[in-house]
Amino acid sequence: MATTLITNIRQLLGTHHSNELRRGKDLAVLPATDHAYLLIEDGLIADFGNMADMPIEEEEANAAYDATDQFVLPAWCDSHTHLVFAASREEEFVDKLKGLSYAEIAARGGGILNSAQKIAAASESQLFHGARMRLQELMMLGTGAIEIKSGYGLSTENELKMLRVIKRLKEISPIPIRATFLGAHTYPLAFRDDHEGYIRQIIEDMLPVIAAEQLADYIDVFCETGFFSPEETERICRAGMEYGLRPKIHVNQLNSIGGIETGIDLGALSMDHLETMTPEDIALISGQQATTAGNIYKGIGTLLPTAAFFLRMPYQPARALIDAGAAIALASDFNPGSSPSGNMNWVVALSCIQMKMLPEEAINAATINGAYAMDLEEETGSIAKGKRANLIFTKPIPSLAYIPYAFGSNLIDRVMISGDWI
Ligand code: NIG
Ligand code: FE
């Protein structure tokens, strides 16, 4: 058995006693142990506590590390990304600087369709190597679990290609990866006036292969004006659910069109984006109000502040959601169009600076609740016996609040994944 003993940790954060989803006021509770030790056995957290209670001496462990002056926290759990893509889109970024809107760029065949063209032209191994490099960069930035979506394929061949890339990433990645099928990201050009035709392709051609090859864990739909209606979202998600894929859906990014109600009735694990929320949407997603069908939401609202930042949209109403009792997760939405960064440190900082989340709330939302939004709460997302030793070690910093406060500094000294330094 390989043992690593970490000693003299200034503060060990996220020592939650249970893996429950944190909602409302509980989101601000981030348990911590001062002057702590942490014992790792075969990549898993075996024990932790105050230095005074350390069960073994440094010499008895295979490896020891002195974390004097360092904060140690669970690695980030990024539950919403589009990590597999063929090319960046900075030319659209410049078009936007010159005045074009996201919708105008999409209407010109830019946006998602631009990425789809590039995916079609790329080989599986090109996509794999690009995504693998990005994944490596994110791990260095403290990401210890990640969800990755398809959605730039938009044809049976290319959606499957993307999902096979994600499956290969799962096989080689030291961090847990969840795959989400997002065939319903937009309508491909050929089906712009034939929604029925494309939805049938998703349901009849793509889903059976995805299920047979076990290529996805979840199903996603971009429920939005000009993309997929709530009715179309429901139909596609129900078809995915027949194959055991639980919905995690894009809702209320640009418009409030009933996607929240649909997601609740579908039992979605998470509903993501939420830039545009009516008071009723907030009451629904917080579980304060039942849908017309009588369902109360138990799942997660995932906020993607870097997408709002990059698109210069109003930020998600984090305070109103938390005050209403919602369970909030934070994720990067890493993609070439609306959030060309997967840096979760920046997501956490932005959620405090622009959405007034407390540092404790942001860290819980980016760790334990993010893990929950990928069904990984038994495996990661907090400091608990038996969980993976996926950990962030900070540089010497004055306090926890310094993490979001000093947003421009790299405060990570080192990252450990399953007991190994990366
Ligand atoms: O989550 N909103 C939908 N999809 C992505 C953006 C896709 C793109 O522009 O490539 C998002 O923000
Ligand atoms: Fe997204």
Side-chain angles (χ1 to χ4, degrees), residues 227-244:
F227 293 82
F228 294 82
S229 69
E231 295 70 31
E232 292 168 340
T233 301
E234 164 149 19
R235 187 170 157 210
I236 295 161
C237 286
R238 292 225 181 267
M241 289 160 75
E242 295 276 321
Y243 293 105

Side-chain angles (χ1 to χ4, degrees), residues 56-173:
I56 63 167
E57 295 301 319
E58 267 126 306
E59 306 77 56
E60 297 171 59
N62 300 112
Y65 175 77
D66 184 342
T68 296
D69 290 339
Q70 297 186 284
F71 287 71
V72 175
L73 57 152
W76 307 125
C77 299
D78 190 353
S79 63
H80 181 138
T81 82
H82 308 249
L83 188 78
V84 176
F85 52 85
S88 55
R89 300 205 321 246
E90 66 275 16
E91 63 300 332
E92 288 177 12
F93 166 66
V94 174
D95 283 343
K96 261 180 253 160
L97 297 180
K98 292 179 180 163
L100 291 190
S101 72
Y102 187 65
E104 281 164 340
I105 287 168
R108 288 173 155 203
I112 298 166
L113 292 176
N114 179 356
S115 282
Q117 267 186 1
K118 306 256 167 66
I119 284 272
S123 70
E124 195 179 303
S125 83
Q126 281 169 332
L127 293 175
F128 173 75
H129 290 295
R132 184 183 194 168
M133 274 166 60
R134 286 190 283 274
L135 186 63
Q136 187 64 30
E137 184 195 1
L138 297 187
M139 282 162 45
M140 306 285 284
L141 291 167
T143 295
I146 195 166
E147 181 259 19
I148 309 174
K149 301 172 193 297
S150 70
Y152 292 128
L154 306 180
S155 68
T156 304
E157 181 192 344
N158 291 312
E159 281 297 310
L160 293 174
K161 182 163 78 182
M162 286 191 77
L163 289 167
R164 288 181 185 129
V165 168
I166 302 171
K167 190 173 185 177
R168 277 178 68 189
L169 289 170
K170 277 189 185 186
E171 286 160 8
I172 56 105
S173 166

Side-chain angles (χ1 to χ4, degrees), residues 44-63:
L44 302 178
I45 297 170
D47 199 7
F48 58 90
N50 189 273
M51 282 300 288
D53 306 318
M54 199 161 74
I56 63 167
E57 295 301 319
E58 267 126 306
E59 306 77 56
E60 297 171 59
N62 300 112

Side-chain angles (χ1 to χ4, degrees), residues 80-82 149 182 185 220 250 272-273 304 333 335 338:
H80 181 138
T81 82
H82 308 249
K149 301 172 193 297
L182 176 57
H185 200 180
D220 192 350
H250 283 74
D272 304 14
H273 264 295
L304 313 170
D333 197 19
N335 77 78
S338 65

